[in-house]
Amino acid sequence: MRVPLSGLPRRVSIYEVGPRDGLQNEKAVVPVDVKSEFVTRLAAAGLRTIETTSFVHPKWVPQLADAEDLLNVLPRSPDLRYPVLVPNARGLERALRNGVTEIAIFGSATEAFARRNLNRTVAESIEMFAPVVERAHREGLWVRAYISMVCGDPWEGDVPIEQVVSVASRLMDLGCSQLSLGDTIGVGTPGHVTALIEALGAAGIGTERLAVHFHDTYGQALANTLAALRAGVTCVDSSAGGLGGCPYAESATGNLPTEDLVWMLHGLGIDTGVDLGRLVETSHWMARRLGRPSPSRVVQALSPKPE
Ligand code: HMG
Ligand code: MG
């Protein structure tokens, strides 16, 4: 049943990260034809923005070493966006050669994660991103910036809000169109999320430029999403079937499952354009290919039960 709640947007854009954030964390490398079918099914379920892969060092993330092959076989359509992760000039070069029109750079609010994920300090990683964003704009690309560890870090513990705002401002000063707030290890709670969004607003980064990217490690992802929507955010990252994590942050478990997000949004009377039945079928199909059940509660509730 659809029962609206005041103070929420009428429509939310879902930024699907399953093929990238989900599959980057699978032990087994998923074959290109399975990845391609996954993306095609997600699009058929109504998802319009699907982060498909990363142009990172193949030794760092072997699961996505087939980025070129995947982009070559994906079906294209003017209303489908396929952003990809790009950390540096080499990655951008590869993305441009493969017809990419949307990229995401990915920074860290903490030094420890910047070092582990990018082999750089925070300052060095921003220096690495600057020419990437500049060239991407010259080539007419849309650029998102991620900022990881916004609520806590496995090596540094609590991350002060001022520190997140400072790094976020430096990333957005490069000229990125959107900032995705990554609670990479899922430790955030709704008051923290609200305070962070308010602090970013006070620093000039309004909710029209924000997205939220919650991991569900402590079961807080949906509560945090509701807090972000109440604060004015209208773009939410999620991963079909709850696939995912981050290979360079061991305590990062699954992302917010897209099905759980869609269930909540539709229940609140918020439009997403997603056909929940087709999405559940897709995640059920993917779980069978991966050989283990989806952690999504909605996928579990709505999938056919074994005889
Ligand atoms: P590095 O080793 O410092 O790289 O890695 P380098 O610049 O010194 O270059 C070393 C070699 O790598 C060179 O080759 C380069 O050409 C090559 P050589 O001359 O030795 O033969 N190289 C590349 N090859 C292919 N594609 C490239 C590339 N770049 C360099 N793009 C680097 C630096 C950034 C490349 C590395 O640290 C890296 O690839 N990191 C990626 C880590 C990653 O993908 N992590 C997961 C995504 S982040 C995430 O999941 C969080 C998020 O979901 C939000 C959240 O939840 O918080 C987004
Ligand atoms: Mg993530």
Side-chain angles (χ1 to χ4, degrees), residues 17 20-21 24 146 148 182 184 213 215 245-246 252 255:
V17 298
R20 192 281 302 173
D21 206 355
Q24 80 178 7
Y146 279 101
S148 290
T184 320
H213 180 106
H215 287 251
C246 176
N255 291 75

Side-chain angles (χ1 to χ4, degrees), residues 20 24 55 57 88 90 94 117 119-120 148 184 215:
R20 192 281 302 173
Q24 80 178 7
F55 285 96
H57 195 301
N88 57 11
R90 176 77 198 280
R94 291 173 61 202
N117 202 39
N119 199 23
R120 304 278 184 285
S148 290
T184 320
H215 287 251

Side-chain angles (χ1 to χ4, degrees), residues 39-199:
V39 174
T40 307
R41 281 172 169 250
L42 292 171
L47 289 155
R48 286 289 152 270
T49 304
I50 306 173
E51 196 172 79
T52 47
T53 188
S54 301
F55 285 96
V56 298
H57 195 301
K59 279 198 206 119
W60 283 63
V61 185
Q63 295 87 338
L64 304 182
D66 56 7
E68 278 87 354
D69 297 340
L70 178 63
L71 286 180
N72 269 329
V73 296
L74 285 182
R76 304 284 172 159
S77 143
D79 68 338
L80 268 181
R81 302 167 72 213
Y82 292 146
V84 301
L85 252 55
V86 164
N88 57 11
R90 176 77 198 280
L92 180 61
E93 197 57 56
R94 291 173 61 202
L96 287 170
R97 258 189 269 125
N98 286 278
V100 163
T101 54
E102 270 111 14
I103 64 163
I105 56 166
F106 47 105
S108 168
T110 66
E111 291 296 341
F113 188 62
R115 178 63 70 194
R116 280 175 174 80
N117 202 39
L118 294 161
N119 199 23
R120 304 278 184 285
T121 63
V122 169
E124 286 165 352
S125 51
I126 292 170
E127 270 170 45
M128 174 171 77
F129 298 142
V132 173
V133 179
E134 204 208 334
R135 167 130 194 246
H137 283 151
R138 262 191 283 124
E139 304 279 353
L141 272 55
W142 178 88
V143 185
R144 152 185 267 216
Y146 279 101
I147 178 168
S148 290
M149 304 298 173
V150 299
C151 293
D153 173 286
W155 303 280
E156 296 186 18
D158 291 343
V159 180
I161 286 180
E162 315 81 75
Q163 183 176 325
V164 179
V165 172
S166 159
V167 179
S169 302
R170 283 148 76 196
L171 287 169
M172 292 309 275
D173 285 348
L174 298 177
C176 302
S177 298
Q178 188 180 59
L179 178 72
S180 177
L181 304 174
D183 181 12
T184 320
I185 57 168
V187 291
T189 43
H192 190 164
V193 168
T194 305
L196 175 59
I197 293 171
E198 283 170 0

Side-chain angles (χ1 to χ4, degrees), residues 242-253:
L243 293 169
C246 176
Y248 292 99
E250 266 176 27
S251 38
T253 52

